[in-house]
Amino acid sequence: MTLKIRLAVRDWDYVTPLLLGDVSSDLLALKVERVDTLVSDVAGSDVYDAAEVSFSRYAQLRHDGDDSVVGIPNFIMRGFRHRCIITTKDSTLHQLSDLKDKKIGVTGWRDSGNVWTRAALRRAGVGIEDVRWYAGRLTAAHPIVDRLDGFGRAGRIEACPGEKPMVDLLREGFLDAIFTPFMPDGFFDPASDLRPLLDHVVSAEIDYVNAVGYMPGMHVISVKAPIVAAHPWVVGELSRMVDASRSLWLAKRRKYADTSPFMLDELRRSAAGLPETWAASGMAANRKMMKDFADELYQQQILSRLLTVEELFPHGFD
């Protein structure tokens, strides 16, 4: 008899084979549901058995001794953060080191992506104390919520004044740059007044992966702990299915590249610039990245103690 699992994930293109049933298992009957917002409490959900969760917030659970969910070292969301720093087109800022002594907006202080972006800044010689930080909503279409999450410090890490959208504050000159993985409407228009901070984003990201040896992981898959306790094999099998979906989708992208005029160029560039195992799951393939992230959470004072990789993923696999 197969185990039924309801998995909530964002609308990543490479989960399409899972949604279509092109990837299956004799052990798992997987029902994938797409969500706009990550499930905040997987353990308490009466809808989902497993879900995509923030690496940072999952680490917080492990730090606090909360073992209600089991994280799988399969990073369903990865990405470089150099491309997630935007400024105005007429800005004189063009490299990470230029952000020293500047005002930067973030959409959430302890978001995994922002942890990694601050890590990249530190490699360029710009520490947390070298910047004035403002947390807030990106545009007026986004909700007003607490984005400091308890990490505010007067004069250093504050909410955006008047909860004004960060894009407005950037255009007015109050902010010098914004960290955001989601670009505001109109950003990709050639006439946009906004641009990436870096002039050569891809080169910077290739230099980064060559220096650190990995692409940063943002989100992991988590499963309710009682399910793993009753069916320990679910950790590896669920990860296998996600990996199979990713592999199948990549093959289809290479075959049907006409969906985007420059897709073939992007695929060739990715293959040339990234290690073949850049998206591999498991403990061994991700150990350095996970260790570095735990260190960043500690160094950035998001967690009060340094977690080991085994503490983060006690049910990990290779």
Side-chain angles (χ1 to χ4, degrees):
M1 183 175 180
T2 57
L3 175 66
K4 295 180 180 179
I5 291 287
R6 296 162 298 177
L7 172 67
V9 297
R10 278 186 172 163
D11 204 7
W12 306 114
D13 57 1
Y14 50 85
V15 302
T16 301
L18 286 175
L19 288 165
L20 296 177
D22 294 338
V23 173
S24 60
S25 168
D26 294 333
L27 300 173
L28 276 182
L30 188 62
K31 179 176 176 56
V32 180
E33 296 189 22
R34 296 167 295 167
V35 294
D36 291 330
T37 303
L38 297 184
V39 179
S40 60
D41 180 14
V42 180
S45 173
D46 57 2
V47 178
Y48 304 112
D49 306 301
E52 172 185 353
V53 298
S54 157
F55 191 7
S56 173
R57 294 183 184 276
Y58 169 72
Q60 184 73 60
L61 293 179
R62 301 301 305 167
H63 173 275
D64 295 344
D66 186 334
D67 57 2
S68 59
V69 296
V70 172
I72 301 177
N74 185 310
F75 293 86
I76 195 164
M77 178 188 178
R78 294 179 187 257
F80 294 116
R81 306 312 290 182
H82 300 72
R83 65 188 56 220
C84 297
I85 308 173
I86 65 173
T87 188
T88 56
K89 188 166 286 185
D90 60 359
S91 171
T92 60
L93 309 178
H94 291 274
Q95 52 191 350
L96 299 185
S97 58
D98 291 339
L99 293 174
K100 190 169 185 177
D101 299 322
K102 298 299 187 290
K103 295 178 179 179
I104 299 177
V106 294
T107 51
W109 182 255
R110 71 156 152 190
D111 291 354
S112 301
N114 289 332
V115 172
W116 282 119
T117 316
R118 291 191 295 267
L121 252 65
R122 187 150 55 86
R123 292 180 63 85
V126 182
I128 288 176
E129 303 304 317
D130 297 320
V131 171
R132 288 286 302 273
W133 303 92
Y134 293 88
R137 54 182 176 155
L138 183 63
T139 69
H142 292 87
I144 296 176
V145 297
D146 176 17
R147 299 174 187 271
L148 290 172
D149 208 9
F151 294 97
R153 280 193 285 136
R156 183 59 58 194
I157 308 169
E158 301 178 325
C160 286
E163 296 291 353
K164 197 165 187 177
M166 291 192 297
V167 168
D168 294 349
L169 293 172
L170 180 64
R171 286 175 169 141
E172 292 171 5
F174 178 82
L175 291 178
D176 298 292
I178 297 172
F179 290 178
T180 174
F182 304 113
M183 299 302 124
D185 289 343
F187 179 82
F188 298 102
D189 188 321
S192 173
D193 61 342
L194 305 177
R195 64 167 173 84
L197 172 78
L198 301 178
D199 297 323
H200 304 287
V201 173
V202 174
S203 296
E205 292 171 343
I206 290 176
D207 288 345
Y208 182 87
V209 76
N210 287 336
V212 302
Y214 54 76
M215 181 184 289
M218 313 294 168
H219 296 168
V220 298
I221 300 170
S222 68
V223 185
K224 289 179 177 178
I227 295 176
V228 177
H231 309 280
W233 52 265
V234 75
V235 171
E237 185 65 4
L238 181 54
S239 182
R240 182 199 68 77
M241 294 180 72
V242 172
D243 288 346
S245 185
R246 185 194 296 271
S247 295
L248 182 56
W249 187 249
L250 177 59
K252 288 181 179 292
R253 286 174 69 197
R254 288 173 172 172
K255 183 176 181 179
Y256 302 114
D258 289 341
T259 54
S260 174
F262 305 109
M263 180 63 75
L264 282 176
D265 293 332
E266 176 65 21
L267 291 169
R268 282 196 295 265
R269 185 164 58 182
S270 295
L274 297 175
E276 187 176 352
T277 57
W278 70 267
S281 59
M283 298 289 278
N286 294 286
R287 179 169 292 276
K288 185 176 187 300
M289 185 267 287
M290 297 186 297
K291 181 178 181 299
D292 285 356
F293 188 70
D295 185 60
E296 286 297 332
L297 291 174
Y298 177 67
Q299 294 294 336
Q300 296 183 29
Q301 299 182 14
I302 293 174
L303 299 183
S304 62
R305 66 182 180 87
L306 181 62
L307 296 176
T308 67
V309 172
E310 282 69 28
E311 284 180 289
L312 284 169
F313 296 100
H315 296 268
F317 64 93
D318 284 323

PDB file of all heavy atoms in Angstrom, residues 296-314:
ATOM      1  N   GLU A 296      26.672  31.629   8.999  1.00  0.00           N
ATOM      2  CA  GLU A 296      26.133  32.961   8.732  1.00  0.00           C
ATOM      3  C   GLU A 296      25.013  33.311   9.708  1.00  0.00           C
ATOM      4  O   GLU A 296      24.929  34.436  10.199  1.00  0.00           O
ATOM      5  CB  GLU A 296      25.631  33.060   7.287  1.00  0.00           C
ATOM      6  CG  GLU A 296      26.734  33.150   6.249  1.00  0.00           C
ATOM      7  CD  GLU A 296      27.597  34.392   6.397  1.00  0.00           C
ATOM      8  OE1 GLU A 296      27.089  35.417   6.910  1.00  0.00           O
ATOM      9  OE2 GLU A 296      28.773  34.344   6.009  1.00  0.00           O
ATOM     10  N   LEU A 297      24.139  32.348   9.973  1.00  0.00           N
ATOM     11  CA  LEU A 297      23.045  32.602  10.923  1.00  0.00           C
ATOM     12  C   LEU A 297      23.601  32.975  12.292  1.00  0.00           C
ATOM     13  O   LEU A 297      23.031  33.832  12.994  1.00  0.00           O
ATOM     14  CB  LEU A 297      22.154  31.365  11.033  1.00  0.00           C
ATOM     15  CG  LEU A 297      21.312  31.024   9.802  1.00  0.00           C
ATOM     16  CD1 LEU A 297      20.601  29.692  10.009  1.00  0.00           C
ATOM     17  CD2 LEU A 297      20.301  32.123   9.501  1.00  0.00           C
ATOM     18  N   TYR A 298      24.690  32.358  12.662  1.00  0.00           N
ATOM     19  CA  TYR A 298      25.316  32.655  13.955  1.00  0.00           C
ATOM     20  C   TYR A 298      26.059  33.997  13.908  1.00  0.00           C
ATOM     21  O   TYR A 298      25.887  34.844  14.792  1.00  0.00           O
ATOM     22  CB  TYR A 298      26.280  31.534  14.325  1.00  0.00           C
ATOM     23  CG  TYR A 298      27.024  31.770  15.609  1.00  0.00           C
ATOM     24  CD1 TYR A 298      26.360  31.781  16.838  1.00  0.00           C
ATOM     25  CD2 TYR A 298      28.400  32.001  15.602  1.00  0.00           C
ATOM     26  CE1 TYR A 298      27.052  32.008  18.024  1.00  0.00           C
ATOM     27  CE2 TYR A 298      29.097  32.230  16.771  1.00  0.00           C
ATOM     28  CZ  TYR A 298      28.417  32.232  17.985  1.00  0.00           C
ATOM     29  OH  TYR A 298      29.099  32.474  19.146  1.00  0.00           O
ATOM     30  N   GLN A 299      26.866  34.196  12.865  1.00  0.00           N
ATOM     31  CA  GLN A 299      27.648  35.432  12.754  1.00  0.00           C
ATOM     32  C   GLN A 299      26.748  36.655  12.621  1.00  0.00           C
ATOM     33  O   GLN A 299      27.074  37.739  13.132  1.00  0.00           O
ATOM     34  CB  GLN A 299      28.597  35.350  11.544  1.00  0.00           C
ATOM     35  CG  GLN A 299      29.688  34.299  11.659  1.00  0.00           C
ATOM     36  CD  GLN A 299      30.683  34.598  12.762  1.00  0.00           C
ATOM     37  OE1 GLN A 299      30.862  35.750  13.171  1.00  0.00           O
ATOM     38  NE2 GLN A 299      31.343  33.564  13.264  1.00  0.00           N
ATOM     39  N   GLN A 300      25.608  36.496  11.956  1.00  0.00           N
ATOM     40  CA  GLN A 300      24.675  37.609  11.773  1.00  0.00           C
ATOM     41  C   GLN A 300      23.706  37.748  12.957  1.00  0.00           C
ATOM     42  O   GLN A 300      22.772  38.546  12.910  1.00  0.00           O
ATOM     43  CB  GLN A 300      23.906  37.435  10.465  1.00  0.00           C
ATOM     44  CG  GLN A 300      24.794  37.501   9.230  1.00  0.00           C
ATOM     45  CD  GLN A 300      24.005  37.407   7.926  1.00  0.00           C
ATOM     46  OE1 GLN A 300      22.842  37.808   7.857  1.00  0.00           O
ATOM     47  NE2 GLN A 300      24.642  36.899   6.880  1.00  0.00           N
ATOM     48  N   GLN A 301      23.940  36.945  14.000  1.00  0.00           N
ATOM     49  CA  GLN A 301      23.180  37.000  15.257  1.00  0.00           C
ATOM     50  C   GLN A 301      21.692  36.714  15.057  1.00  0.00           C
ATOM     51  O   GLN A 301      20.844  37.203  15.804  1.00  0.00           O
ATOM     52  CB  GLN A 301      23.379  38.362  15.938  1.00  0.00           C
ATOM     53  CG  GLN A 301      24.830  38.628  16.299  1.00  0.00           C
ATOM     54  CD  GLN A 301      25.027  39.954  17.009  1.00  0.00           C
ATOM     55  OE1 GLN A 301      24.085  40.581  17.471  1.00  0.00           O
ATOM     56  NE2 GLN A 301      26.278  40.397  17.109  1.00  0.00           N
ATOM     57  N   ILE A 302      21.398  35.893  14.063  1.00  0.00           N
ATOM     58  CA  ILE A 302      20.027  35.430  13.888  1.00  0.00           C
ATOM     59  C   ILE A 302      19.776  34.245  14.812  1.00  0.00           C
ATOM     60  O   ILE A 302      18.692  34.111  15.386  1.00  0.00           O
ATOM     61  CB  ILE A 302      19.771  35.088  12.413  1.00  0.00           C
ATOM     62  CG1 ILE A 302      19.821  36.369  11.581  1.00  0.00           C
ATOM     63  CG2 ILE A 302      18.435  34.364  12.236  1.00  0.00           C
ATOM     64  CD1 ILE A 302      19.734  36.158  10.101  1.00  0.00           C
ATOM     65  N   LEU A 303      20.781  33.395  14.975  1.00  0.00           N
ATOM     66  CA  LEU A 303      20.740  32.316  15.947  1.00  0.00           C
ATOM     67  C   LEU A 303      21.809  32.565  17.003  1.00  0.00           C
ATOM     68  O   LEU A 303      22.890  33.071  16.701  1.00  0.00           O
ATOM     69  CB  LEU A 303      20.978  30.962  15.274  1.00  0.00           C
ATOM     70  CG  LEU A 303      19.964  30.535  14.207  1.00  0.00           C
ATOM     71  CD1 LEU A 303      20.295  29.137  13.698  1.00  0.00           C
ATOM     72  CD2 LEU A 303      18.535  30.595  14.727  1.00  0.00           C
ATOM     73  N   SER A 304      21.514  32.178  18.225  1.00  0.00           N
ATOM     74  CA  SER A 304      22.433  32.476  19.328  1.00  0.00           C
ATOM     75  C   SER A 304      23.530  31.436  19.496  1.00  0.00           C
ATOM     76  O   SER A 304      24.454  31.640  20.278  1.00  0.00           O
ATOM     77  CB  SER A 304      21.647  32.601  20.643  1.00  0.00           C
ATOM     78  OG  SER A 304      20.999  31.377  20.963  1.00  0.00           O
ATOM     79  N   ARG A 305      23.417  30.319  18.811  1.00  0.00           N
ATOM     80  CA  ARG A 305      24.493  29.332  18.859  1.00  0.00           C
ATOM     81  C   ARG A 305      24.684  28.717  17.481  1.00  0.00           C
ATOM     82  O   ARG A 305      23.784  28.738  16.635  1.00  0.00           O
ATOM     83  CB  ARG A 305      24.212  28.233  19.889  1.00  0.00           C
ATOM     84  CG  ARG A 305      23.034  27.341  19.576  1.00  0.00           C
ATOM     85  CD  ARG A 305      22.810  26.316  20.672  1.00  0.00           C
ATOM     86  NE  ARG A 305      21.675  25.451  20.389  1.00  0.00           N
ATOM     87  CZ  ARG A 305      21.755  24.344  19.673  1.00  0.00           C
ATOM     88  NH1 ARG A 305      22.932  23.954  19.172  1.00  0.00           N
ATOM     89  NH2 ARG A 305      20.684  23.609  19.443  1.00  0.00           N
ATOM     90  N   LEU A 306      25.864  28.190  17.275  1.00  0.00           N
ATOM     91  CA  LEU A 306      26.226  27.617  15.982  1.00  0.00           C
ATOM     92  C   LEU A 306      25.721  26.181  15.893  1.00  0.00           C
ATOM     93  O   LEU A 306      26.044  25.343  16.732  1.00  0.00           O
ATOM     94  CB  LEU A 306      27.742  27.654  15.803  1.00  0.00           C
ATOM     95  CG  LEU A 306      28.303  27.108  14.488  1.00  0.00           C
ATOM     96  CD1 LEU A 306      27.790  27.926  13.308  1.00  0.00           C
ATOM     97  CD2 LEU A 306      29.834  27.131  14.528  1.00  0.00           C
ATOM     98  N   LEU A 307      24.913  25.899  14.881  1.00  0.00           N
ATOM     99  CA  LEU A 307      24.384  24.552  14.675  1.00  0.00           C
ATOM    100  C   LEU A 307      25.307  23.741  13.788  1.00  0.00           C
ATOM    101  O   LEU A 307      25.943  24.276  12.870  1.00  0.00           O
ATOM    102  CB  LEU A 307      23.006  24.625  14.008  1.00  0.00           C
ATOM    103  CG  LEU A 307      21.870  25.289  14.791  1.00  0.00           C
ATOM    104  CD1 LEU A 307      20.619  25.350  13.937  1.00  0.00           C
ATOM    105  CD2 LEU A 307      21.596  24.552  16.083  1.00  0.00           C
ATOM    106  N   THR A 308      25.382  22.453  14.050  1.00  0.00           N
ATOM    107  CA  THR A 308      26.122  21.561  13.167  1.00  0.00           C
ATOM    108  C   THR A 308      25.195  21.096  12.047  1.00  0.00           C
ATOM    109  O   THR A 308      23.963  21.199  12.141  1.00  0.00           O
ATOM    110  CB  THR A 308      26.649  20.330  13.922  1.00  0.00           C
ATOM    111  OG1 THR A 308      25.525  19.527  14.337  1.00  0.00           O
ATOM    112  CG2 THR A 308      27.467  20.746  15.144  1.00  0.00           C
ATOM    113  N   VAL A 309      25.782  20.563  11.002  1.00  0.00           N
ATOM    114  CA  VAL A 309      24.988  20.038   9.893  1.00  0.00           C
ATOM    115  C   VAL A 309      24.095  18.892  10.363  1.00  0.00           C
ATOM    116  O   VAL A 309      22.936  18.774   9.953  1.00  0.00           O
ATOM    117  CB  VAL A 309      25.915  19.575   8.748  1.00  0.00           C
ATOM    118  CG1 VAL A 309      25.125  18.845   7.669  1.00  0.00           C
ATOM    119  CG2 VAL A 309      26.644  20.781   8.144  1.00  0.00           C
ATOM    120  N   GLU A 310      24.624  18.064  11.264  1.00  0.00           N
ATOM    121  CA  GLU A 310      23.838  16.939  11.780  1.00  0.00           C
ATOM    122  C   GLU A 310      22.675  17.419  12.644  1.00  0.00           C
ATOM    123  O   GLU A 310      21.626  16.776  12.690  1.00  0.00           O
ATOM    124  CB  GLU A 310      24.728  15.986  12.568  1.00  0.00           C
ATOM    125  CG  GLU A 310      25.571  15.053  11.701  1.00  0.00           C
ATOM    126  CD  GLU A 310      26.663  15.768  10.917  1.00  0.00           C
ATOM    127  OE1 GLU A 310      27.138  16.833  11.382  1.00  0.00           O
ATOM    128  OE2 GLU A 310      27.040  15.268   9.838  1.00  0.00           O
ATOM    129  N   GLU A 311      22.846  18.532  13.343  1.00  0.00           N
ATOM    130  CA  GLU A 311      21.730  19.097  14.099  1.00  0.00           C
ATOM    131  C   GLU A 311      20.631  19.615  13.161  1.00  0.00           C
ATOM    132  O   GLU A 311      19.456  19.488  13.439  1.00  0.00           O
ATOM    133  CB  GLU A 311      22.215  20.225  14.997  1.00  0.00           C
ATOM    134  CG  GLU A 311      22.957  19.786  16.242  1.00  0.00           C
ATOM    135  CD  GLU A 311      23.403  20.960  17.070  1.00  0.00           C
ATOM    136  OE1 GLU A 311      24.320  21.682  16.641  1.00  0.00           O
ATOM    137  OE2 GLU A 311      22.814  21.182  18.153  1.00  0.00           O
ATOM    138  N   LEU A 312      21.062  20.175  12.069  1.00  0.00           N
ATOM    139  CA  LEU A 312      20.106  20.697  11.102  1.00  0.00           C
ATOM    140  C   LEU A 312      19.310  19.575  10.436  1.00  0.00           C
ATOM    141  O   LEU A 312      18.094  19.677  10.266  1.00  0.00           O
ATOM    142  CB  LEU A 312      20.828  21.529  10.024  1.00  0.00           C
ATOM    143  CG  LEU A 312      21.278  22.924  10.425  1.00  0.00           C
ATOM    144  CD1 LEU A 312      22.202  23.501   9.366  1.00  0.00           C
ATOM    145  CD2 LEU A 312      20.077  23.844  10.633  1.00  0.00           C
ATOM    146  N   PHE A 313      20.020  18.529  10.055  1.00  0.00           N
ATOM    147  CA  PHE A 313      19.382  17.448   9.299  1.00  0.00           C
ATOM    148  C   PHE A 313      19.714  16.082   9.921  1.00  0.00           C
ATOM    149  O   PHE A 313      20.502  15.315   9.361  1.00  0.00           O
ATOM    150  CB  PHE A 313      19.843  17.485   7.832  1.00  0.00           C
ATOM    151  CG  PHE A 313      19.415  18.727   7.117  1.00  0.00           C
ATOM    152  CD1 PHE A 313      20.319  19.774   6.937  1.00  0.00           C
ATOM    153  CD2 PHE A 313      18.129  18.881   6.643  1.00  0.00           C
ATOM    154  CE1 PHE A 313      19.941  20.937   6.278  1.00  0.00           C
ATOM    155  CE2 PHE A 313      17.745  20.040   5.981  1.00  0.00           C
ATOM    156  CZ  PHE A 313      18.649  21.070   5.804  1.00  0.00           C
ATOM    157  N   PRO A 314      19.118  15.800  11.063  1.00  0.00           N
ATOM    158  CA  PRO A 314      19.422  14.524  11.737  1.00  0.00           C
ATOM    159  C   PRO A 314      18.947  13.302  10.958  1.00  0.00           C
ATOM    160  O   PRO A 314      19.416  12.189  11.205  1.00  0.00           O
ATOM    161  CB  PRO A 314      18.653  14.652  13.071  1.00  0.00           C
ATOM    162  CG  PRO A 314      17.577  15.639  12.802  1.00  0.00           C
ATOM    163  CD  PRO A 314      18.149  16.602  11.829  1.00  0.00           C
TER     164      PRO A 314
END
